[in-house]
């Protein structure tokens, strides 16, 4: 069984290479905090953090908006297996789940097959399960399907011994301040919450647990009903109608797009890597990670993130 909430887990392993596979959230959509307003996202944020712990850290992000399970566990999986990185995060299935006629059981079988390919290759995998859309008008209609597929993901994690971050259990993501105007993608704050939760599960925290468990100093502001309705109509015109039109035409927002970081390459240039080596030697890289002592802040498991058992064969 998965460990109980707040149970200590083992000493973290140093991660020297990381590949993120998935769709638009992995791509980093709506987190425009990158250079020149480019997308960044939870995967880039996590890579930036892990890159401070290993001078020769390498990173690739194969996520592209609109990609479905057949792409994620197709060409993305094939490329990832060829690289054999230390870590892979998998966030996908949303574009399949939002198609009402899609068979969730068949989708889960494909998901488990893909995760097993990665695990059998000796790769450390973190699954990211779906977030709760119950607070979002229109999207709340898909809440049941998202919940069912998220339970499938937890079952896959249990059977394969895979670590999982359950975005549904992250209360901070049930706050509108974590989401962009399109209500489909986290904004910079939301992506940071996800990145920090994954980092904590890996045993390399970005800081205290409050940065992902309780990041808001005040409750969210509740707009009057008339303003909520007006905002809902604006959202439908700007985002929902174009989305439905693409679905009707069999098109995707990601048609013709390529991954932002399609090659597993060094995160830093040689000069930066040498500076980082020097800094890590000075602070004692074997005992400290970003000024957080591995002895003082052991990685923990909670309902929003668990380490899996030994996989069933």
């Amino acid at each position: 069984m998965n460990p109980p909430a707040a149970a200590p887990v083992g000493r973290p392993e140093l991660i020297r290479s990381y590949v993120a596979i998935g769709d638009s959230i992995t791509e980093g959509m709506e987190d425009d905090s990158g250079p020149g307003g480019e997308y960044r996202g939870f995967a880039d944020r996590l890579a930036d953090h892990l890159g401070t712990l290993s001078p020769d850290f390498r990173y690739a992000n194969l996520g592209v908006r609109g990609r479905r399970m057949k792409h994620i566990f197709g060409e993305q999986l094939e490329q990832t297996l060829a690289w054999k990185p230390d870590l892979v995060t998998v966030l996908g299935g949303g574009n399949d789940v939002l198609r009402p006629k899609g068979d969730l059981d068949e989708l889960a079988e494909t998901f488990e097959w893909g995760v097993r390919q990665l695990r059998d290759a000796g790769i450390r995998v973190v699954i990211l399960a779906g977030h709760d859309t119950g607070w979002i008008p229109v999207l709340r209609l898909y809440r049941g399907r998202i919940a069912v597929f998220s339970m499938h993901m937890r079952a896959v994690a249990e059977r394969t011994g895979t670590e999982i971050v359950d975005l549904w259990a992250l209360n901070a993501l049930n706050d509108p301040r974590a989401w962009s105007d399109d209500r489909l993608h986290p904004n910079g704050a939301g992506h940071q919450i996800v990145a920090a939760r994954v980092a904590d599960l890996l045993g390399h925290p970005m800081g205290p647990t409050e940065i992902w468990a309780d990041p808001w100093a005040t409750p969210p502001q509740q707009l009057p009903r008339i303003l909520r309705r007006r905002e809902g109509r604006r959202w439908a015109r700007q985002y929902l109608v174009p989305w439905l039109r693409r679905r009707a035409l069999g098109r995707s927002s990601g048609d013709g797009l390529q991954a932002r970081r399609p090659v597993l390459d060094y995160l830093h240039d040689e000069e930066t890597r040498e500076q980082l080596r020097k800094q890590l030697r000075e602070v004692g890289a074997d005992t400290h990670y970003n000024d957080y002592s591995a002895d003082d802040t052991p990685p923990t498991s909670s309902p929003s993130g668990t380490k899996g058992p030994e996989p069933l064969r």
Side-chain angles (χ1 to χ4, degrees), residues 110-292:
T110 301
F111 189 87
E112 180 164 354
W113 174 85
V115 170
R116 284 193 180 277
Q117 297 298 305
L118 294 166
R119 296 287 286 134
D120 289 346
I123 298 170
R124 186 176 185 180
V125 179
V126 175
I127 298 169
L128 290 95
H131 63 275
D132 189 358
T133 60
W135 63 275
I136 306 174
V138 180
L139 293 180
R140 66 168 59 103
L141 298 175
Y142 295 93
R143 191 185 191 202
R145 288 179 60 81
I146 294 170
V148 168
F149 191 64
S150 292
M151 291 306 296
H152 273 306
M153 287 181 166
R154 292 190 69 87
V156 169
E158 193 77 33
R159 289 193 293 266
T160 61
T162 304
E163 294 162 287
I164 183 169
V165 167
D166 188 351
L167 302 184
W168 196 292
L170 278 175
N171 289 331
L173 291 183
N174 291 327
D175 191 307
R177 289 172 290 186
W179 295 89
S180 65
D181 287 344
D182 71 4
R183 302 178 182 175
L184 286 171
H185 303 96
N187 56 22
H191 277 283
Q192 178 65 18
I193 290 168
V194 176
R197 184 64 190 98
V198 177
D200 193 72
L201 180 65
L202 294 173
H204 301 292
M206 293 181 175
T209 58
E210 286 76 15
I211 66 175
W212 58 263
D214 189 22
W216 315 110
T218 59
Q221 181 182 4
Q222 183 73 7
L223 294 175
R225 179 177 296 180
I226 187 172
L227 294 181
R228 293 201 302 271
R229 289 178 176 175
R230 185 180 302 169
E231 176 62 20
R233 289 193 293 269
R234 183 200 64 81
W235 172 80
R237 289 193 303 270
Q238 187 171 349
Y239 298 106
L240 179 61
V241 172
W243 180 72
L244 292 174
R245 185 180 296 119
R246 288 196 300 271
R247 289 289 182 272
L249 296 174
R251 296 175 180 173
S252 166
S253 59
D255 288 346
L257 296 182
Q258 302 297 320
R260 290 189 298 108
R261 295 184 63 99
V263 178
L264 184 62
D265 200 359
Y266 292 117
L267 187 65
H268 306 296
D269 58 31
E270 179 55 39
E271 181 179 356
T272 303
R273 298 204 299 274
E274 188 56 40
Q275 292 175 352
L276 185 55
R277 289 189 192 96
K278 181 179 180 181
Q279 293 172 1
L280 291 173
R281 285 195 297 266
E282 291 174 351
V283 301
D286 58 331
T287 57
H288 291 79
Y289 306 97
N290 268 14
D291 297 325
Y292 273 79

Side-chain angles (χ1 to χ4, degrees), residues 4-20:
V9 294
R11 182 180 177 84
E13 297 178 359
L14 187 62
I15 297 168
R16 295 180 173 84
S17 55
Y18 165 40
V19 176

Side-chain angles (χ1 to χ4, degrees), residues 29-134:
M29 280 191 69
E30 305 310 320
D31 177 7
D32 56 2
S33 61
E38 294 179 357
Y39 286 143
R40 191 179 177 198
F42 84 88
D44 282 20
R45 290 170 179 268
L46 179 62
D48 288 342
H49 174 65
L50 296 176
T52 66
L53 312 178
S54 175
D56 296 320
F57 181 80
R58 295 177 299 149
Y59 169 56
N61 186 326
L62 303 182
V64 178
R65 67 195 74 175
R67 293 301 189 259
R68 299 176 62 184
M69 196 70 75
K70 63 183 179 181
H71 306 113
I72 296 168
F73 287 130
E75 59 264 28
Q76 291 186 22
L77 173 66
E78 182 179 353
Q79 182 60 78
T80 301
L81 289 172
W83 286 329
K84 293 185 179 179
D86 293 338
L87 172 70
V88 171
T89 56
V90 182
L91 198 169
N95 292 306
D96 299 90
V97 172
L98 292 179
R99 286 169 166 78
K101 295 183 179 180
D103 189 313
L104 297 182
D105 295 334
E106 291 183 0
L107 190 64
E109 290 178 1
T110 301
F111 189 87
E112 180 164 354
W113 174 85
V115 170
R116 284 193 180 277
Q117 297 298 305
L118 294 166
R119 296 287 286 134
D120 289 346
I123 298 170
R124 186 176 185 180
V125 179
V126 175
I127 298 169
L128 290 95
H131 63 275
D132 189 358
T133 60

